[in-house]
Amino acid sequence: MNAKPAVTPDGYCANTQPVPGTTKQVNGHALGPKFLKMHGRRYADCPCGRRPSLTDRGRLRRHKPPEK
Ligand SMILES: [Zn+2]
């Protein structure tokens, strides 16, 4: 298993680097009109097990790791 990323004192995952090769872009056009506002958003896996969205600079958004 991969090592789990550190967690900040307030409970958020300290990792901001997406797992390489896991980035996916949402295709809102394929999902229907309700999803158009999500269109173009990118998501990637974090080693902690979450799948947060990415910032414009390709960093993982702040997220909490899954409960054990
Ligand atoms: Zn994480």
Side-chain angles (χ1 to χ4, degrees):
M1 287 295 287
N2 292 334
K4 296 288 181 196
V7 177
T8 61
D10 53 351
Y12 287 92
C13 180
N15 178 55
T16 58
Q17 294 290 343
V19 177
T22 62
T23 303
K24 286 278 182 342
Q25 198 160 23
V26 174
N27 186 343
H29 295 288
L31 296 173
K34 280 167 70 175
F35 294 93
L36 277 182
K37 63 171 181 250
M38 289 171 61
H39 182 69
R41 271 194 210 169
R42 292 179 300 157
Y43 292 84
D45 287 347
C46 177
C48 74
R50 284 282 171 147
R51 191 166 172 78
S53 57
L54 292 179
T55 67
D56 293 340
R57 290 183 296 174
R59 300 292 183 119
L60 296 171
R61 278 191 204 286
R62 203 160 84 124
H63 60 281
K64 291 189 172 178
E67 298 286 335
K68 293 243 166 61

